[in-house]
Amino acid sequence: LPPEKRVGFAVVGLGRLSLEEILPAFGEAKMARPVALVSGSPDKAKLVAAQYGIAAEAIYGYGDWDRLKANPAVQAVYVVTPNALHREHVVAAAGAGKHVLCEKPMATSPDEARAMIEACAQAKVKLMIAYRCQYEPNNREVTKIARSGSLGRLRLIQAFNGQTSGLPEQWRLRKALAGGGALPDIGLYCLNGVRALTGEEPVSVTAQVHSTPDSPLFREVEESVVFTLTFPSGVIAQCGTSYGVHESRRLDVHTEGGALTLENAFAYRGQRLMIAHREGTRVQKDEPVIPPKNQFALELDHMAECILKDRRPRTPGEEGLQDQILMAAIYEAARSRAPVTV
Ligand code: NDP
């Protein structure tokens, strides 16, 4: 679309994700463009605005929602602030009559997520949660193959998303701002990914949480979580996440007649899909070539298209709420050391 027909977004919160991924991704988007910034750091915002051709008048502070409301160029707001602030910023954006794209995790509790859905419904604006992997072509191919039945029945899924966490003073390690540790930040990709892959909702959850004793990093939030999800069809997903390991983000799907492996499944880039299946007595191994695409651009375009064509996003607020409910069940299962029925 030509620039003037594209959906105008205000980006809220100019942190690492906004500066390093989202704002650059607009350059690869076809239906979205950045037209405004919301930031608590005016000097940074001025620099960023100049870099992206955003008008100086379209820079707002976190208390300027009335002024933002009056800017007709802003059709959608992309909330990219710490997790515990998502509710406040989504509700404010809805109050300003703007459609909302909100970063994951949606919130820090199911009740917050419900309030956000309600606010957007009341304001008759769309709410999408930024589950970028659901827009990423390799992840989508895995889902397509697994569900097609071409490799036989789906049985077991293993999903792992781990990395080392950075400095101890960051908000991600403060429970009040993050809501939790590795689980809501990166383990969520495993949870949301296996739900998207199976197309089912888990009925039962088991979990274990562990943090290195005496680590200054994990006084408030957890370091590692392993959890299993049992689905109505009998599929079992075994998931793991950690802030204390060498980076690894891998998805393995085991079916009756084959196996799919997606390396770097939950990374920004670098996905590599491998498929093994039996052909007679031989094992056939394939590595399909899937042209890489910027998943942030695909996600922005999906939201823009939903606004332009008045469609419901593939990952609406309800999708975020369901994950909040399941994450609460995972923590409860770990606490009680017993399976939790959902
Ligand atoms: P950063 O800490 O890098 O940036 C957060 C920004 O939010 C800050 O730079 C600041 O921007 C603003 N902010 C407003 N209030 C506060 C506050 N009290 N404390 C700290 N920052 C504040 O975080 P990220 O960019 O890494 O993460 C932001 C959101 O994006 C999180 O919800 C995270 O889960 C999600 N995320 C998603 C990823 C994905 O792949 N989809 C990857 C990384 C993060 P300003 O100075 O402009 O006000």
Side-chain angles (χ1 to χ4, degrees):
L1 289 180
E4 68 281 3
K5 293 234 168 85
R6 293 184 182 201
V7 172
F9 279 77
V11 176
V12 184
L14 303 178
R16 250 189 103 172
L17 184 69
S18 291
L19 297 180
E20 293 179 11
E21 302 295 337
I22 294 169
L23 283 162
F26 277 102
E28 291 181 62
K30 297 184 169 64
M31 286 177 265
R33 64 178 177 135
V35 296
L37 302 173
V38 180
S39 172
S41 321
D43 292 341
K44 173 173 61 178
K46 257 183 234 156
L47 276 175
V48 176
Q51 199 176 343
Y52 287 96
I54 295 168
E57 307 77 67
I59 299 173
Y60 305 93
Y62 293 107
D64 288 343
W65 293 97
D66 285 342
R67 207 157 62 77
L68 183 135
K69 180 179 183 170
N71 183 346
V74 178
Q75 288 163 275
V77 165
Y78 192 168
V79 174
V80 202
T81 49
N83 309 341
L85 304 176
H86 290 178
R87 174 198 176 145
E88 179 190 331
H89 295 149
V90 166
V91 170
K98 311 297 185 186
H99 301 289
V100 195
L101 175 55
C102 176
E103 260 310 327
K104 51 49 64 183
M106 181 176 184
T108 60
S109 71
D111 280 347
E112 280 181 12
R114 286 190 189 97
M116 294 155 79
I117 292 171
E118 176 64 22
C120 291
Q122 287 271 327
K124 297 195 167 53
V125 296
K126 294 183 195 301
L127 173 58
M128 170 172 153
I129 309 304
Y131 287 118
R132 59 181 167 75
C133 291
Q134 289 208 40
Y135 302 91
E136 191 283 316
N138 289 273
N139 280 275
R140 298 192 59 142
E141 184 68 13
V142 170
T143 299
K144 198 172 109 193
I145 297 170
R147 290 213 213 161
S148 74
S150 65
L151 298 180
R153 279 179 74 106
L154 183 55
R155 298 283 192 214
L156 292 176
I157 306 169
Q158 288 168 302
F160 188 84
N161 201 15
Q163 64 193 41
T164 46
S165 62
L167 303 168
E169 57 270 22
Q170 61 181 309
W171 65 261
R172 276 188 172 74
L173 302 173
R174 302 277 84 85
K175 189 158 200 292
L177 277 174
L183 179 63
D185 191 28
I186 53 175
L188 178 56
Y189 287 96
C190 305
L191 173 62
N192 187 259
V194 296
R195 288 182 48 237
L197 203 162
T198 58
E200 294 184 68
E201 293 302 340
V203 288
S204 168
V205 173
T206 66
Q208 257 181 287
V209 169
H210 184 78
S211 302
T212 305
D214 305 326
S215 165
L217 299 177
F218 307 114
R219 289 199 184 115
E220 296 183 23
V221 302
E222 82 282 354
E223 179 177 13
S224 306
V225 186
V226 291
F227 56 97
T228 60
L229 308 168
T230 307
F231 291 90
S233 64
V235 170
I236 299 172
Q238 184 187 49
C239 304
T241 186
S242 179
Y243 271 161
V245 296
H246 178 70
E247 179 171 333
S248 170
R249 312 181 189 280
R250 187 180 157 109
L251 177 66
D252 283 292
V253 179
H254 306 277
T255 71
E256 238 172 357
L260 296 157
T261 295
L262 185 56
E263 277 182 10
N264 299 320
F266 313 117
Y268 295 160
R269 44 192 74 83
Q271 283 77 17
R272 181 168 164 225
L273 177 59
M274 288 161 280
I275 307 170
H277 65 101
R278 271 194 310 271
E279 265 189 13
T281 53
R282 260 172 12 97
V283 175
Q284 175 73 33
K285 289 193 173 164
D286 294 317
E287 280 196 32
V289 178
I290 299 170
K293 291 214 176 112
N294 183 321
Q295 49 192 298
F296 292 96
L298 293 171
E299 166 196 288
L300 285 165
D301 276 342
H302 179 78
M303 178 71 177
E305 190 173 14
C306 287
I307 292 168
L308 292 170
K309 298 186 176 160
D310 193 19
R311 288 192 189 146
R312 184 175 161 84
R314 174 193 298 273
T315 51
E318 287 77 5
E319 176 89 356
L321 169 60
Q322 177 65 2
D323 283 334
Q324 296 294 155
I325 291 170
L326 290 166
M327 287 192 287
I330 289 167
Y331 282 131
E332 173 57 18
R335 196 197 55 77
S336 66
R337 297 167 191 246
V340 168
T341 307
V342 260

